Amino acid sequence: MKLKISKKYKKIIVDTGKELYKKNLTIGTWGNISALDSETGLVYIKPSAMDYNEINLEDIIVIDKKGEVIEGVRKPSIETPMHLAVYNKREDVGAVVHYHSIYSSVFAVTGLTLPGICEDFVQIVGDKVICAKYALPGTKELAKNVVTGLGKRNAVFLTNHGTLCVGKNMKEAMKVSYVVEKTAQIYILSKNVGRCRIISEEDIKIMQDFAKNVYGKQ
């Protein structure tokens, strides 16, 4: 049975790539994004080494969760193993965004952990964001390290590399990306003012429960 290819998901990749570029979360061809169609199990991913502003629908690569190309003439992103590792580990994830932004990259190159200092951060990202163990780009080792570093959270730093964020869909994954970058900037700037207050584990759990079960619910 031939699986149906969705133009909707291709458009999501094209549009999100342009948004990453406009929001200064990456430059040129670096970083990569993907989305999972839960109905077919197919993954739509950015082609390798293409500028976000030049990518069209026909450039998007469609693969299955084993990495086999279903449709597309271009080479899929070098980080395809990393994306697939996340989808195969986390059933709650429907989109992956990997980018090279300035403030998040400060943590990635120093190996520091970004703690829970903002309410929006702890609600949708997790208690903290840690640095995954280093491995070369595009390797299975990096994919394994990223999954381990991500855990049950929605973001992880790739040491000396960049940031990876996830969500149930692309809208949520991008929201996580914005919040991680904003919180990283706030944390760095706060060091010039004084001591940064970390939200307690108890309060984090309360806010996460509120975000999951109460906020936005009728």
Side-chain angles (χ1 to χ4, degrees), residues 13 72 146 158 203:
I13 302 301
V146 164
L158 283 60
D203 285 346

PDB file of all heavy atoms in Angstrom, residues 13 72 146 158 203:
ATOM      1  N   ILE A  13       7.466  22.605   6.669  1.00  0.00           N
ATOM      2  CA  ILE A  13       8.931  22.655   6.690  1.00  0.00           C
ATOM      3  C   ILE A  13       9.450  23.900   5.983  1.00  0.00           C
ATOM      4  O   ILE A  13      10.329  24.600   6.495  1.00  0.00           O
ATOM      5  CB  ILE A  13       9.530  21.394   6.033  1.00  0.00           C
ATOM      6  CG1 ILE A  13       9.055  20.131   6.750  1.00  0.00           C
ATOM      7  CG2 ILE A  13      11.057  21.476   6.042  1.00  0.00           C
ATOM      8  CD1 ILE A  13       9.407  20.065   8.214  1.00  0.00           C
ATOM      9  N   GLY A  72      11.604  12.347  -2.874  1.00  0.00           N
ATOM     10  CA  GLY A  72      12.562  13.447  -2.846  1.00  0.00           C
ATOM     11  C   GLY A  72      13.812  13.124  -3.641  1.00  0.00           C
ATOM     12  O   GLY A  72      14.280  11.986  -3.635  1.00  0.00           O
ATOM     13  N   VAL A 146      21.930  12.840  22.066  1.00  0.00           N
ATOM     14  CA  VAL A 146      20.850  13.831  22.101  1.00  0.00           C
ATOM     15  C   VAL A 146      19.599  13.254  22.759  1.00  0.00           C
ATOM     16  O   VAL A 146      18.958  13.905  23.591  1.00  0.00           O
ATOM     17  CB  VAL A 146      20.534  14.324  20.672  1.00  0.00           C
ATOM     18  CG1 VAL A 146      19.180  15.037  20.634  1.00  0.00           C
ATOM     19  CG2 VAL A 146      21.622  15.267  20.191  1.00  0.00           C
ATOM     20  N   LEU A 158      23.301  20.852  22.187  1.00  0.00           N
ATOM     21  CA  LEU A 158      24.290  19.984  21.560  1.00  0.00           C
ATOM     22  C   LEU A 158      25.650  20.639  21.761  1.00  0.00           C
ATOM     23  O   LEU A 158      25.910  21.720  21.225  1.00  0.00           O
ATOM     24  CB  LEU A 158      24.005  19.813  20.066  1.00  0.00           C
ATOM     25  CG  LEU A 158      22.870  18.864  19.651  1.00  0.00           C
ATOM     26  CD1 LEU A 158      21.529  19.301  20.214  1.00  0.00           C
ATOM     27  CD2 LEU A 158      22.802  18.767  18.150  1.00  0.00           C
ATOM     28  N   ASP A 203       7.430  24.064  42.999  1.00  0.00           N
ATOM     29  CA  ASP A 203       6.690  25.047  42.200  1.00  0.00           C
ATOM     30  C   ASP A 203       6.699  24.678  40.719  1.00  0.00           C
ATOM     31  O   ASP A 203       5.728  24.937  39.998  1.00  0.00           O
ATOM     32  CB  ASP A 203       7.277  26.443  42.401  1.00  0.00           C
ATOM     33  CG  ASP A 203       6.902  27.046  43.746  1.00  0.00           C
ATOM     34  OD1 ASP A 203       5.973  26.504  44.393  1.00  0.00           O
ATOM     35  OD2 ASP A 203       7.524  28.035  44.162  1.00  0.00           O
TER      36      ASP A 203
END
